């Protein structure tokens, strides 16, 4: 037992096949008991089983973070099973509208805010008591969209900018309870979704997927794109005691594509 999070209970809210899965597997690799929360029970169970098969400890709790009762039930289950919580990582994602902001329905903008901002706030409020007891920490997964204003990202940027503002305010408001709150802002993530997308671009322009990768990566200092595991490890660093004096911070993890 020499992990960064040995014996800690880490709740990952919004576990999907991309970064959410990497966060769970990496947390388990660092010795954490992992609680997986999202709506699709079958996916949670698969990732839970992978952790348990690898000798780790994990619990899947199907949860819709836009639902008060579901989130309260998640907290009750975590406290009953593990006696409390040390870390909450908010990762939930739903595809935002990619229309120009002026042509985006208010309903779509509201849905993004409901999930990214209010969903995350609901989870944080519900876990504040156990996190105060453990002097725990929170990591909110943000995005490099807060660093640029490219067209068609307006709806996503609105939600993630509000998430950042909320994270900073909560860092101040919950600091005297001993709870730290930080953000991770990934850029590209070299996951299956991006591999598929680069394949589509390659087909369209009659080039190879590797060429699309190289052209994209050439804009970063390290000339490559980060993997989900690399993003996850940055989040776990912030969650861990190694970051015990860091709160209200945003860590860009993008191989040097943007410098904040
Ligand atoms: N992928 C990228 O390139 C990229 C780049 C920059 C930043 N990010 C950020 O990184 C994070 C992870 O992105 P990802 O694409 O890798 O996602 P992911 O971990 O593959 O999936 C996120 C999961 O959130 C869950 N979710 C959605 N609505 C929910 C709800 N109401 N309650 C509970 N869970 C819910 C969904 O699962 P269910 O449908 O089962 O609930 C979804 O599979 C996001 O915050 C995203 O903004 C991603």
């Amino acid at each position: 037992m020499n992990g960064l999070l040995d014996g800690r209970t880490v709740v990952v809210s919004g576990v999907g096949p991309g970064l959410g899965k990497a966060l769970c597997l990496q947390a388990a690799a660092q010795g954490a008991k992992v609680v997986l929360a999202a709506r699709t029970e079958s996916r949670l169970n698969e990732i839970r089983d992978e952790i348990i098969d690898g000798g780790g400890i994990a619990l899947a709790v199907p949860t819709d973070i836009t639902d008060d009762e579901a989130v309260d039930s998640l907290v009750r289950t975590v406290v009953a099973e593990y006696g409390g919580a040390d870390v909450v990582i908010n990762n939930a994602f739903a595809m935002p509208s990619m229309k120009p902001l002026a042509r985006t329905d208010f309903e779509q903008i509201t849905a993004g805010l409901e999930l990214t901002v209010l969903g995350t706030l609901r989870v944080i409020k519900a876990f504040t008591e156990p996190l105060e007891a453990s002097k725990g920490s929170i990591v909110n997964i943000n995005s490099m969209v807060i660093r640029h204003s490219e067209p068609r990202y307006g709806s996503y940027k609105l939600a993630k900018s509000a998430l950042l503002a909320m994270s900073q305010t909560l860092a101040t408001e919950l600091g005297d309870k001993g709870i730290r709150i930080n953000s991770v802002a990934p850029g590209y993530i070299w996951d299956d979704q991006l591999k598929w997308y680069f394949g589509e671009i390659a087909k369209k322009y009659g080039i190879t997927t590797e060429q699309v990768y190289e052209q994209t990566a050439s804009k970063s200092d390290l000339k490559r794109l980060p993997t989900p595991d690399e993003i996850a490890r940055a989040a776990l660093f912030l969650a861990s005691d190694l970051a015990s004096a860091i709160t209200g911070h945003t860590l860009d993890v993008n191989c040097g594509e943007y410098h904040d």
Side-chain angles (χ1 to χ4, degrees):
M1 295 267 282
N2 268 321
L4 212 50
L5 297 162
D6 276 343
R8 304 289 168 90
T9 297
V10 173
V11 180
V12 183
S13 160
V15 176
L19 183 57
K21 178 177 178 180
L23 284 163
C24 295
L25 296 180
Q26 288 293 319
Q30 292 298 333
K33 294 175 267 189
V34 185
V35 180
L36 300 82
R39 295 166 302 179
T40 310
E41 187 168 8
S42 54
R43 185 185 296 122
L44 299 184
N45 289 345
E46 267 175 44
I47 302 170
R48 175 204 59 197
D49 291 348
E50 193 173 330
I51 291 172
I52 292 172
D53 290 348
I57 300 172
L59 178 70
V61 187
T63 309
D64 180 344
I65 64 163
T66 64
D67 182 308
D68 284 332
E69 176 45 36
V71 172
D72 288 345
S73 166
L74 168 68
V75 179
R76 283 195 301 273
T77 306
V78 174
V79 171
E81 291 289 328
Y82 294 146
D86 300 286
V87 173
V88 173
I89 302 178
N90 292 298
N91 177 73
F93 175 75
M95 200 57 198
S97 157
M98 293 302 288
K99 287 186 196 157
L101 200 48
R103 287 205 276 115
T104 307
D105 294 341
F106 279 15
E107 289 76 17
Q108 284 178 294
I109 296 174
T110 305
L113 292 169
E114 282 286 345
L115 176 67
T116 303
V117 186
L118 300 184
T120 301
L121 182 57
R122 182 176 290 104
V123 172
I124 291 173
K125 281 173 69 172
F127 274 102
T128 295
E129 208 176 295
L131 287 174
E132 180 177 10
S134 64
K135 303 286 175 244
S137 75
I138 297 165
V139 180
N140 292 332
I141 305 300
N142 209 295
S143 162
M144 75 172 170
V145 77
I146 58 172
R147 305 279 182 231
H148 67 69
S149 300
E150 285 173 22
R152 295 181 291 104
Y153 283 86
S155 179
Y156 189 39
K157 180 169 172 138
L158 262 178
K160 288 296 195 182
S161 300
L163 176 65
L164 177 62
M166 187 180 85
S167 305
Q168 292 170 337
T169 295
L170 288 174
T172 303
E173 291 185 353
L174 300 184
D176 63 1
K177 295 183 190 298
I179 301 172
R180 298 182 299 106
I181 305 187
N182 291 292
S183 305
V184 166
Y188 287 103
I189 304 177
W190 189 233
D191 60 7
D192 289 343
Q193 199 183 314
L194 193 61
K195 286 175 193 169
W196 172 84
Y197 180 61
F198 278 11
E200 293 301 301
I201 295 178
K203 272 189 240 162
K204 188 171 167 190
Y205 292 102
I207 56 177
T208 64
T209 304
E210 290 70 28
Q211 284 171 310
V212 180
Y213 180 98
E214 276 162 28
Q215 282 171 19
T216 309
S218 70
K219 295 175 194 130
S220 72
D221 295 336
L222 298 180
K223 311 299 177 207
R224 66 179 187 83
L225 305 180
T227 64
D229 285 351
E230 289 177 305
I231 312 282
R233 288 198 293 267
L236 296 177
F237 156 71
L238 287 173
S240 78
D241 289 346
L242 288 183
S244 54
I246 302 176
T247 195
H249 186 74
T250 304
L251 185 57
D252 289 56
V253 187
N254 56 26
C255 290
E257 184 182 3
Y258 283 88
H259 299 172
D260 71 342

